[in-house]
Amino acid sequence: MSFNVSVLKKDFPLLSREENGEPLIYLDSAATSQKPQKVLDVIDSYYREINANVHRGAYRLAEQATTAMEEAREKVSSFIKSDRSEEIIFTKNATESMNLVARSWGESNLNEGDVVLVSSLEHHANIVPWHQLAESRGIEVRWIPLTESGLFDLTDLDRLLDGVKLVAVSGASNVLGTVPPVRMLADAAHNVGALCLVDASQYVPHRPTDLAELGCDFLAFTGHKMCGPTGIGVLWGRSELLESMPAFLGGGEMILDVTKEGFTTNTIPWKFEAGTPPIAEIVGLGAAVDYLESVGMENVLDHEKTLTSYALQTLSDRFGNDLIIHGPNDVSVRGGVLSMCYQDVHPHDVSQILDSHGVCVRAGHHCAKPLMKLLDVNATVRASLYLYNDESDVDALADALEATGQFFSP
Amino acid sequence: MSGLEDLYREIILDHYRNPRNQGELETPPAVMAEGFNPLCGDEVTVHIHVEDGVIVDMKFGGHGCSISLASASMMTTVTTGKSLSEAKDIIYSFKQMMSIHEGRLEEGSEETDSPMAGLGDLQALQGVVKFPVRIKCATLGWNTLEQCFEELASQ
């Protein structure tokens, strides 16, 4: 399939919505992506045609529902180049995936004084679970510093790795766009006997994912940022780790046997999937994977790189020093997330004026308050690009920013 | 412009560009409180100096958007010189205005028996109600002033 954004935009019903007679400009895909018609259709027909509970009934309908769900697991597995679909655990979102690792692996493997090494640009979802382990088990949370341009500062890596049991880092920053050298960090972690977890929430939706290349031990991501529905996330883990970890939540589906005296757990992945799973969402995620594969993740990455370059250039040409764009300039180490500060206009005010021009961006701290502190700002305006955005969206953003400047100038 | 002029009334932009009573007061005799908006990371400080039950001086500071700064600035001009009970009445009326549903706003809320009666320039902030996410911005300074009162009462 050749990559043509104007054709591709039509796959997303919401993008034809108008605001005040103007087309809606959606630039908040780092928060959540829009959904293609095919995903909506698959979810709809799941409920209309094959809805039944999974892994329970012996009737054909229940078998069909189970098959649909397990086929989706296979699709997700092959999407990230895992050769073992039982390593795909379905969760509620990436946050739950990381909490699962913290609670299950962390509580049974980490002790007082052990170190979890995170970076200074992490999302709260990859900070707070480790803070919780610091409170409950006395572990230390240590921080990889950043360079001026928002890259990981690894000059002191050997010292940082001292005592580390887990390196938990973002695969791509939801604020700066930074794509850190995950493979190098995973290898460094393994060299000191530590594991590596990657928060791939902003990685998997935007570029080809190859577990062998990443070299990590856990990978967390979410469905709704990759054209899938909300309420479905993924934890991938190495099977030997998942098998050794205690169950996270207890209930139905996750057991082999229950007696009055106790229980034995099911095999992976079901050991970690207590209760009726979000079946329609899982099937919808499978459809999202089909959609992204039909477009081609290499194409998505190329498109976003080109568009990010265009955005960086256009915004810099038009606003110069009035507009600060945080994060690296080099699109080979950054994704299409543009965190901006415009003159001294507060991000809330910027996004309000942009909204009046039909431009949807996020204003706030983006669940990364330690990073905000490092940048010495309370908030930024964040525009984030995806496969359905094009140069006209970037131009609309620039026009609306110009109007914002005029609105607030004395 | 989809109602933007309702949000950014001229008097609000004036207070944003030229904030009144910005700064700090010495504590003691003044008391201070800090308020946070966890949604956007904004923070505001309010210092008040009360003598014989009257607010004789008030300053505000911190970082915030135009709505939160203008609202805090207007708050200082309206409540300085008032007795604590008068100031509490104004806070009550202001918060009532912020909780009015948009529908009622359009039915004609300029009546004298409306909660906004007596709010004067503060009525310019009523347009905020049409933008629900901004209500927290508008009330940030006011909640912080209430914290100052609590601080005062605990002394």
Side-chain angles (χ1 to χ4, degrees), chain A residues 251-287:
Chain A
E253 182 101 354
M254 54 74 72
I255 49 90
L256 277 186
D257 191 23
V258 180
T259 63
K260 285 185 175 172
E261 286 72 39
F263 69 98
T264 50
T265 53
N266 203 337
T267 53
I268 61 167
W270 305 292
K271 177 169 95 177
F272 292 105
E273 295 178 358
T276 296
I279 309 163
E281 286 76 8
I282 292 171
V283 172
L285 176 60

Side-chain angles (χ1 to χ4, degrees), chain A residues 291-367:
Chain A
Y291 179 79
L292 288 172
E293 287 199 322
S294 75
V295 176
M297 291 310 292
E298 284 289 351
N299 292 333
V300 172
L301 177 60
D302 286 347
H303 170 70
E304 287 185 26
K305 270 188 183 169
T306 307
L307 190 57
T308 304
S309 293
Y310 178 79
L312 291 169
Q313 191 65 51
T314 301
L315 294 170
S316 148
D317 287 351
R318 284 183 63 172
F319 300 101
N321 293 334
D322 279 348
L323 187 77
I324 295 165
I325 302 177
H326 296 283
N329 270 324
D330 177 0
V331 293
S332 70
V333 289
R334 68 125 65 228
V337 173
L338 306 164
S339 268
M340 303 173 282
C341 290
Y342 183 51
Q343 296 174 346
D344 57 354
V345 185
H346 190 280
H348 263 188
D349 291 314
V350 175
S351 82
Q352 193 88 58
I353 308 293
L354 296 192
D355 178 56
S356 73
H357 292 268
V359 178
C360 306
V361 296
R362 173 91 176 265
H365 54 62
H366 318 297
C367 298

Side-chain angles (χ1 to χ4, degrees), chain A residues 220-240:
Chain A
F221 57 102
T222 194
H224 71 92
K225 296 189 202 290
M226 51 183 284
C227 301
T230 54
I232 177 65
V234 175
L235 173 68
W236 170 85
R238 291 190 192 284
S239 53
E240 63 273 21

Side-chain angles (χ1 to χ4, degrees), chain B residues 132-151:
Chain B
V133 292
R134 305 303 294 275
I135 292 175
K136 278 199 164 66
C137 310
T139 54
L140 181 61
W142 298 79
N143 289 330
T144 312
L145 177 58
E146 281 187 315
Q147 282 170 241
C148 283
F149 292 166
E150 284 165 24
E151 180 70 29

Side-chain angles (χ1 to χ4, degrees), chain B residues 71-116:
Chain B
S71 184
S73 171
M74 291 165 87
M75 174 185 81
T76 63
T77 61
V78 175
T79 54
T80 303
K82 298 284 193 297
S83 71
L84 288 177
S85 72
E86 285 170 332
K88 284 174 185 170
D89 286 345
I90 296 171
I91 294 175
Y92 178 80
S93 300
F94 180 75
K95 288 197 167 182
Q96 283 286 101
M97 180 172 85
M98 284 297 124
S99 63
I100 290 170
H101 190 269
E102 193 179 330
R104 274 187 57 197
L105 202 65
E106 273 152 19
E107 285 165 23
S109 47
E110 310 273 339
E111 309 296 323
T112 47
D113 61 345
S114 84
M116 277 91 92

Side-chain angles (χ1 to χ4, degrees), chain A residues 79-147:
Chain A
F79 190 63
I80 60 172
K81 302 212 166 32
S82 157
D83 47 15
R84 308 184 64 168
S85 65
E86 69 270 25
E87 294 181 333
I88 301 291
I89 314 285
F90 287 127
T91 61
K92 183 170 66 183
N93 45 38
T95 298
E96 187 182 291
S97 299
M98 287 181 271
N99 275 272
L100 192 164
V101 175
R103 292 301 156 95
S104 171
W105 179 83
E107 290 199 350
S108 52
N109 287 278
L110 297 178
N111 295 301
E112 189 165 347
D114 286 344
V115 178
V116 172
L117 182 63
V118 300
S119 85
S120 300
L121 56 64
E122 298 306 317
H123 188 282
H124 295 165
N126 192 26
I127 297 174
V128 180
W130 314 117
H131 276 330
Q132 288 176 304
L133 279 182
E135 281 179 9
S136 66
R137 301 194 64 82
I139 68 154
E140 179 195 337
V141 182
R142 194 178 290 162
W143 303 81
I144 300 172
L146 301 181
T147 66

Side-chain angles (χ1 to χ4, degrees), chain B residues 45-64:
Chain B
T45 57
V46 174
H47 286 75
I48 59 169
H49 182 197
V50 175
E51 276 179 11
D52 302 325
V54 174
I55 302 171
V56 293
D57 204 357
M58 185 185 304
K59 298 277 187 213
F60 83 99
H63 310 278

